[in-house]
Amino acid sequence: MGTLSARATTYYVSSSGYDSNVGTSAAQAWRTPARVNAATLQPGDRVLFEGGQTFSGSLRMRSNQGTAAQPIVFRSYGTAGPAVIASGAEVGFYAHNAGGLELRNLTFRGAGIAASQASGVQFYNDSTNAHLQHLRFDSLDISGYQRVGLEVGSWNGTSGYDNVRITNSQFHANGESGLSSYAYFPELGHSDWYVGNCNAYDNPGRQELPNSATGNGIVVSGIDGVIVEHCTAYHNGWLNARGGGPAGIWGWDCNNLTIQYCESHHNEAGGRRDGGGFDLDGGCTNSVLQYNYSHDNDGPGYLLVQFDYARPMHDLVVRYNISKNDARQQDQGGILVYSEPWLGGIVNADIYNNTIILDRPANGSSPSAVYLLSGNISGFTVRNNILQADPGLCLVRTFTTTGVRFEGNDYWSPTGVMKFDWNTAQYSTLSAWRNASAQETLAGGSRATGMSVAPGFVSTGTGAQAFLLDATSPLLGQGLNLLTEFGLSPGPRDFYGLPTPAAAAPGNIGASEARLDISTPLPVELTRFTAAPQGADALLRWATASEKNNDRFEIEASADGRTFRRVGQVPGHGSSTQAHDYQFVDPNIARHGTSQVVYRLRQVDRDGTFHYSPLRAVAAGGTAGLALFPNPTTGAASLVGVQPGAVVTVFDAVGRPVLTTTATAGGTAALVLPRGLAAGVYMVRAGAAAIRLNLE
């Protein structure tokens, strides 16, 4: 090990260098990716690209192998931000049968979906039954490729990649997917993957591929053991041409897949089916969707599908998720299930403590809160969920009367007029449906379950916070006890991080386990949070009115408003009823490599529970105010630093409003621009402040 470390070499690549140099210092740097490709790299070697510079060409690794202990690392150096690999129509980074590699803090930029014919970063393993170890992808920005932003695949028996970590990265404006994996079907060639804090957006799909679901955000397959968490996917899929289309974040042909703490919204399917938020698809086993927020998607919030020739699909859990106004197109469902009869269909799925809210779409589509689109399912249970839909929309719609049990759910329409479509037989009340179907009963039909009451959500929340249960909610303590009655563990927490009830205690219905003391403040009552320039630094100040079990504040910074990194932390005061003031200085914010830095606080309790503060922005030039990310954009952006509740309007070049929205209580506004707008400069105005938005 010591010998390998001693032999490891660091190579530098700079726009001011020459390929005839030795490359082993910044003063003797190489100049081009082609020179890097010609080198024979050894385990432990590092290739550093000068930050803030653009390098034309592709990086290609064919025979270079690192190890887990001595990986070959490619990353940027200096304080000017990430280096850009501009690969034009070619792949940005290609590795064939190579492991032990790390890519960090780099931008890969293709020539655009129409001009590029490749993926951005592509790893491919076709060695015979080879399990290559240790891939790390961190702080990457990959855009402008016709195929996939980051693609990791294998195609030779059981070959694959083990111990893979993909973190803090962005995948946008790519044709087929932001992030994708595959293995030799139906083998699980890969194992032990983690995908965290990644964002996939503005990946439109490809109209010329009618036989492929294109326009996905994040899709994983062929993996045994994978976690996807703290990721977002939005505004993907509008050019998809396949009848069964894409989804924001999903997996197929995986075992032990967990998708959690993610948000997926405003995804589309090109006028076709799907285009939803989250999906466990063909061949998934022992897999979980939990603590996710899906909203405003064309397709289902949560989809379960089995298709012909997939591996068996069984033992799935969908719990403590929220869906708000999904299924905007094609009469789909907040939760939708479809199964071919292949290998017995989908076997054993527990769907519990989710909150599904459906307003009627303006386009005339008729979604359902829960939609079982086929039979071929068995061992399905739907328990303790809130199912709320506007009048005329189905709360439950099925094409089967067997293989599923609905128990302990709350069914509600704001007018009290409800609709159940039970394999074409229709009912307008819970009791009528219960009597005809024997659903919502236990003990052989002698015990009625289920409720038809207004859930009683808090009146002041926005976004997912709007679905916390109020102190007067009739659903508090009304859930079936999953553990004692069915031997089903509900897991440790609800959507909001609140603990699930003790074994003997009844829980709530829906995704919120808030108790009768919900009106009490959060563990830390944050009364002020500001960020302002202080010379070349940023000064962050905040104050609390009270604290309970407050361990610390972690200060996180972002160059793009989406991918955050911890830059420091300040200890809390534990439990206190007194006011406390805090401050933190982030030095030399120009080191973040952007003209404006976005900050947030991650307040962490002593039990590990955490909450985020609103966002604040500071310009490297010495001002604080509005920040817009991403900018330029191809259709969607987030505005931060807005006065809560302020009206935000986007104007075109001649002053005509094209979009109006309202900032959240956290001071942010989601700007999803109408499709069809011409590329150019638009003005975003919030009160007296304004900022330019560049639409590509």
Side-chain angles (χ1 to χ4, degrees):
M1 190 76 68
T3 302
L4 287 175
S5 298
R7 292 178 180 175
T9 304
T10 298
Y11 297 98
Y12 294 82
V13 187
S14 169
S15 59
S16 61
Y18 295 95
D19 285 350
S20 58
N21 288 340
V22 294
T24 53
S25 69
Q28 286 290 313
W30 294 334
R31 186 180 182 88
T32 68
R35 179 62 184 87
V36 177
N37 297 341
T40 300
L41 301 177
Q42 301 295 329
D45 286 354
R46 300 190 304 165
V47 181
L48 309 184
F49 292 84
E50 185 177 2
Q53 302 295 313
T54 298
F55 301 89
S56 297
S58 297
L59 291 166
R60 296 176 179 269
M61 301 293 107
R62 295 186 180 275
S63 59
N64 300 305
Q65 288 276 3
T67 67
Q70 294 288 314
I72 299 173
V73 179
F74 299 81
R75 66 172 178 84
S76 302
Y77 74 91
T79 60
V84 177
I85 309 298
S87 61
E90 302 298 321
V91 66
F93 187 105
Y94 180 72
H96 184 208
N97 295 338
L101 296 176
E102 298 187 359
L103 277 63
R104 298 181 179 274
N105 193 29
L106 291 167
T107 294
F108 292 90
R109 185 178 299 155
I113 295 170
S116 168
Q117 298 180 4
S119 292
V121 173
Q122 182 180 6
F123 277 62
Y124 182 61
N125 176 7
D126 63 358
S127 298
T128 303
N129 297 325
H131 287 267
L132 301 176
Q133 302 289 321
H134 189 89
L135 300 183
R136 296 292 184 269
F137 307 97
D138 182 71
S139 301
L140 304 181
D141 188 302
I142 308 176
S143 66
Y145 293 93
Q146 186 182 76
R147 295 187 58 217
V148 181
L150 171 58
E151 180 181 33
V152 181
S154 61
W155 202 255
N156 190 341
T158 63
S159 293
Y161 294 92
D162 300 342
N163 188 14
V164 176
R165 303 292 181 265
I166 305 169
T167 52
N168 305 312
S169 296
Q170 297 190 78
F171 314 105
H172 56 104
N174 303 293
E176 295 179 27
S177 295
L179 164 64
S180 180
S181 75
Y182 65 90
Y184 186 83
F185 182 76
E187 300 290 346
L188 298 183
H190 313 300
S191 69
D192 184 20
W193 282 42
Y194 177 84
V195 181
N197 293 297
C198 292
N199 304 287
Y201 57 94
D202 294 348
N203 301 290
R206 295 177 59 188
Q207 288 178 308
E208 74 276 20
L209 296 180
N211 296 318
S212 299
T214 62
N216 297 290
I218 296 172
V219 51
V220 293
S221 71
I223 309 173
D224 187 359
V226 51
I227 295 174
V228 181
E229 67 179 10
H230 301 298
C231 293
T232 61
Y234 64 92
H235 197 235
N236 301 293
W238 66 90
L239 295 182
N240 168 70
R242 185 184 179 190
I249 301 175
W250 63 293
W252 65 280
D253 198 37
C254 286
N255 180 56
N256 194 20
L257 162 63
T258 298
I259 301 175
Q260 60 185 5
Y261 313 119
C262 294
E263 182 176 1
S264 189
H265 63 94
H266 293 96
N267 295 295
E268 304 179 40
R272 301 171 185 272
R273 294 193 70 85
D274 295 338
F278 299 89
D279 174 16
L280 296 179
D281 218 291
C284 279
T285 55
N286 306 302
S287 296
V288 182
L289 293 173
Q290 60 185 7
Y291 321 132
N292 300 297
Y293 181 33
S294 179
H295 60 97
D296 301 290
N297 294 291
D298 275 6
Y302 304 93
L303 175 65
L304 305 180
V305 173
Q306 171 69 324
F307 57 81
D308 284 342
Y309 305 105
R311 294 187 312 113
M313 188 167 181
H314 59 81
D315 295 296
L316 311 175
V317 174
V318 181
R319 64 184 179 188
Y320 290 107
N321 302 285
I322 293 175
S323 168
K324 166 65 173 176
N325 284 346
D326 287 313
R328 299 291 88 187
Q329 301 282 347
Q330 302 289 325
D331 299 342
Q332 300 184 77
I335 295 176
L336 190 148
V337 178
Y338 176 77
S339 179
E340 297 289 348
W342 180 252
L343 299 177
I346 307 177
V347 179
N348 297 338
D350 294 306
I351 301 170
Y352 60 88
N353 284 100
N354 302 285
T355 296
I356 311 297
I357 308 294
L358 285 178
D359 298 339
R360 177 174 288 280
N363 60 18
S365 180
S366 296
S368 304
V370 174
Y371 189 6
L372 307 183
L373 187 55
S374 71
N376 310 311
I377 63 174
S378 60
F380 266 64
T381 62
V382 184
R383 297 175 173 134
N384 292 354
N385 302 284
I386 295 174
L387 307 178
Q388 176 176 309
D390 269 0
L393 303 181
C394 282
L395 294 162
V396 174
R397 185 182 183 194
T398 78
F399 281 87
T400 182
T401 59
T402 62
V404 61
R405 292 295 305 168
F406 288 81
E407 297 161 347
N409 304 287
D410 180 48
Y411 308 87
W412 181 247
S413 175
T415 64
V417 179
M418 295 180 290
K419 184 177 180 181
F420 300 84
D421 189 332
W422 189 244
N423 198 19
T424 72
Q426 296 193 356
Y427 307 94
S428 59
T429 66
L430 170 60
S431 60
W433 174 53
R434 180 192 289 130
N435 292 336
S437 67
Q439 296 290 324
E440 287 296 349
T441 62
L442 291 172
S446 63
R447 175 185 167 194
T449 60
M451 304 176 70
S452 292
V453 296
F457 298 124
V458 295
S459 60
T460 57
T462 59
Q465 298 297 317
F467 307 110
L468 275 161
L469 296 180
D470 188 80
T472 61
S473 169
L475 304 185
L476 296 177
Q478 298 303 306
L480 298 175
N481 192 308
L482 301 178
L483 184 61
T484 60
E485 296 210 53
F486 310 106
L488 179 64
S489 172
R493 53 162 288 170
D494 72 353
F495 176 89
Y496 300 96
L498 300 169
T500 51
N508 299 341
I509 297 175
S512 166
E513 290 292 356
R515 307 307 298 167
L516 293 175
D517 60 355
I518 185 63
S519 59
T520 62
L522 290 173
V524 172
E525 185 180 355
L526 190 69
T527 59
R528 184 181 74 252
F529 175 39
T530 63
Q534 182 175 269
D537 308 332
L539 174 61
L540 281 63
R541 289 175 171 166
W542 64 99
T544 62
S546 62
E547 302 180 20
K548 182 178 180 181
N549 297 323
N550 180 23
D551 183 72
R552 64 189 183 277
F553 293 95
E554 296 177 353
I555 297 88
E556 298 183 342
S558 172
D560 56 19
R562 302 187 185 282
T563 302
F564 285 82
R565 302 178 187 174
R566 192 175 73 174
V567 295
Q569 71 179 44
V570 175
H573 282 83
S575 295
S576 172
T577 59
Q578 298 180 352
H580 292 284
D581 293 304
Y582 296 87
Q583 72 175 39
F584 176 83
V585 175
D586 187 26
N588 184 27
I589 64 174
R591 76 184 192 282
H592 294 291
T594 184
S595 60
Q596 199 158 31
V597 182
V598 179
Y599 293 95
R600 70 184 181 189
L601 303 176
R602 185 176 186 263
Q603 181 272 313
V604 184
D605 296 343
R606 287 175 174 169
D607 64 359
T609 303
F610 60 88
H611 303 85
Y612 286 115
S613 73
L615 304 180
R616 298 291 183 260
V618 176
T623 60
L626 297 180
L628 190 61
F629 300 97
N631 192 14
T633 179
T634 58
S638 294
L639 184 70
V640 303
V642 193
Q643 186 71 21
V647 175
V648 178
T649 306
V650 181
F651 297 92
D652 65 13
V654 297
R656 294 172 298 194
V658 298
L659 174 70
T660 300
T661 188
T662 304
T664 68
T668 64
L671 307 181
V672 181
L673 299 177
R675 210 178 317 149
L677 289 181
V681 178
Y682 291 77
M683 186 63 66
V684 182
R685 182 170 296 278
I691 188 171
R692 284 189 172 191
L693 170 65
N694 295 299
L695 178 63
E696 294 182 332

